[in-house]
Amino acid sequence: MQKSTNTMRAAVIDLGTNTFHLIIGDLADKDPKILYKTTVPVLLGQGRINENMIIPEAFERGIRTLKAFKSIIDEHQVEVVRAVATSAVRSAINGQEFVDAAQAMGIDIQLITGDEEAAFIFKGVSALGIIQRTSLIMDIGGGSTEFIICNEDGLIWKKSYDIGAARLMQAYFHADPISDAERNTIIEVLDKTLGDLKAACMQYKPEMLIGSAGAFESFAILLNNGEDIGDIASMSLDIKAYEKLAERLLTSTHEERTKMKGLISLRVDMIVIAAILTNYILDNIGLHALSLSMYDLKMGVLHATKEQITSKAG
């Protein structure tokens, strides 16, 4: 691929518990221009995430995906590569083996903490310019879920919790449709886990919930009659319409969800857990506005990379 002389290309690989993302951006302009992006459903947390184990099939899928990403990165003549791994790799007893296997083929993975993950998510969302009042950002991952309280002046409070959709699904979601007992058990887990989040929200009083990509993108598509939302970077979601959708998801069977237009196979079951999590936050924090941000962890890492390069050049 021919490369312009006045570009500075960076690639970001986000190794999530469910999906691996690759974005390649040109950092020459004030706002990084995305040249390429792809998402692969690797399901690294398949089967044994709560035992902190990457099973062999998932391990192989992950390495195979990284090999494909490396070819794309080389083809785009990228100067800087940042690969960050989150909950599934950082908590796995064979996570270092995975990091070593990736390094052997030329990809250096940085294991980031939940706190660092939350900071990158904030950086990504704030790059959109949609934080105009005190808000709570929520990023539902497969292994962990991050919460960030922020306002137009910056980040106020952040925390990562090991209550990702894959973890909760593997532990508690076995009936079809999900049973009241399973829902209540998950709510009990959230009650025990999220006390400090509730205390922080009591103190700082966020008014809006901003959902960071992932499940919130699926909610937006389902609310759009299953039609793709295109390249929209952010949009407001009607809370009443979301609540009706959530009830539909929580009472549906696996088979019924597979037929829902716009719901990708990766999220057919995890969207139920995402709805329980989102409902819990809306009910317990008393938020009255809901927005989607398509800028998330990977965009935060890209913006942070640009800042680092700019400061070095300066």
Side-chain angles (χ1 to χ4, degrees):
M1 178 173 286
Q2 199 63 36
K3 179 170 167 294
S4 164
T5 53
N6 61 347
T7 62
M8 173 65 197
R9 289 183 180 175
V12 173
I13 301 172
D14 168 6
L15 294 88
T17 299
N18 291 323
T19 49
F20 284 10
H21 306 269
L22 168 65
I23 56 171
I24 297 173
D26 179 1
L27 307 185
D29 295 331
K30 181 174 176 281
D31 290 316
K33 179 186 173 189
I34 303 302
L35 305 172
Y36 179 92
K37 63 179 179 178
T38 189
T39 296
V40 178
V42 172
L43 294 171
L44 205 63
Q46 180 190 0
R48 297 179 67 186
I49 189 169
N50 292 316
E51 297 168 58
N52 298 320
M53 169 68 71
I54 302 170
I55 63 171
E57 308 94 280
F59 195 107
E60 190 180 312
R61 277 196 305 272
I63 295 302
R64 195 166 59 236
T65 301
L66 290 179
K67 275 184 184 164
F69 284 1
K70 180 76 165 60
S71 297
I72 295 163
I73 288 165
D74 291 345
E75 186 187 323
H76 281 80
Q77 299 177 23
V78 168
E79 288 102 325
V80 179
V81 179
R82 290 280 307 274
V84 295
T86 57
S87 182
V89 181
R90 72 173 169 248
S91 65
I93 52 177
N94 56 342
Q96 190 56 49
E97 280 177 51
F98 189 85
V99 170
D100 293 344
Q103 189 173 36
M105 64 163 153
I107 292 179
D108 290 324
I109 295 173
Q110 176 190 0
L111 284 173
I112 59 172
T113 65
D115 206 51
E116 289 169 326
E117 190 174 349
F120 280 131
I121 291 163
F122 169 72
K123 190 172 280 290
V125 175
S126 62
L128 263 180
I130 62 168
I131 304 166
Q132 289 158 5
R133 51 181 159 158
T134 305
S135 301
L136 175 65
I137 299 169
M138 179 179 187
D139 188 297
I140 303 171
S144 63
T145 295
E146 283 68 45
F147 293 96
I148 302 104
I149 301 172
C150 55
N151 60 24
E152 59 271 34
D153 297 324
L155 191 153
I156 299 169
W157 181 95
K158 66 184 187 303
K159 189 162 181 182
S160 174
Y161 298 88
D162 284 335
I163 49 166
R167 281 191 199 280
L168 293 175
M169 187 176 81
Q170 286 179 32
Y172 306 112
F173 182 9
H174 307 298
D176 185 28
I178 192 167
S179 68
D180 288 345
E182 287 172 336
R183 281 168 73 170
N184 290 337
T185 301
I186 293 169
I187 288 165
E188 283 170 20
V189 170
L190 301 182
D191 281 339
K192 287 176 189 165
T193 306
L194 297 177
D196 47 0
L197 169 67
K198 290 185 206 172
C201 288
M202 285 276 287
Q203 182 178 353
Y204 299 111
K205 299 179 171 53
E207 299 168 48
M208 171 182 277
L209 179 64
I210 301 173
S212 167
F216 290 94
E217 180 185 9
S218 289
F219 292 149
I221 291 167
L222 290 167
L223 289 169
N224 194 37
N225 299 313
E227 299 296 333
D228 189 65
I229 57 171
D231 286 330
I232 293 171
S234 69
M235 64 189 291
S236 63
L237 304 177
D238 182 273
I239 282 194
K240 293 292 180 202
Y242 161 75
E243 286 169 350
K244 283 184 188 170
L245 169 65
E247 192 52 35
R248 187 174 146 222
L249 291 169
L250 291 167
T251 55
S252 62
T253 63
H254 173 87
E255 181 65 24
E256 285 166 344
R257 289 190 301 278
T258 62
K259 292 174 181 168
M260 290 183 185
K261 186 180 175 190
L263 185 57
I264 60 172
S265 59
L266 168 75
R267 296 211 181 99
V268 163
D269 292 327
M270 275 187 258
I271 198 74
V272 174
I273 302 294
I276 293 171
L277 281 162
T278 305
N279 286 357
Y280 185 90
I281 295 304
L282 290 173
D283 292 346
N284 283 273
I285 308 300
L287 299 151
H288 305 294
L290 175 61
S291 277
L292 162 71
S293 165
M294 288 302 294
Y295 279 29
D296 54 3
L297 173 78
K298 55 189 176 291
M299 287 301 287
V301 175
L302 188 67
H303 278 264
T305 303
K306 178 177 170 58
E307 286 171 12
Q308 284 172 349
I309 290 167
T310 305
S311 66
K312 280 180 187 171

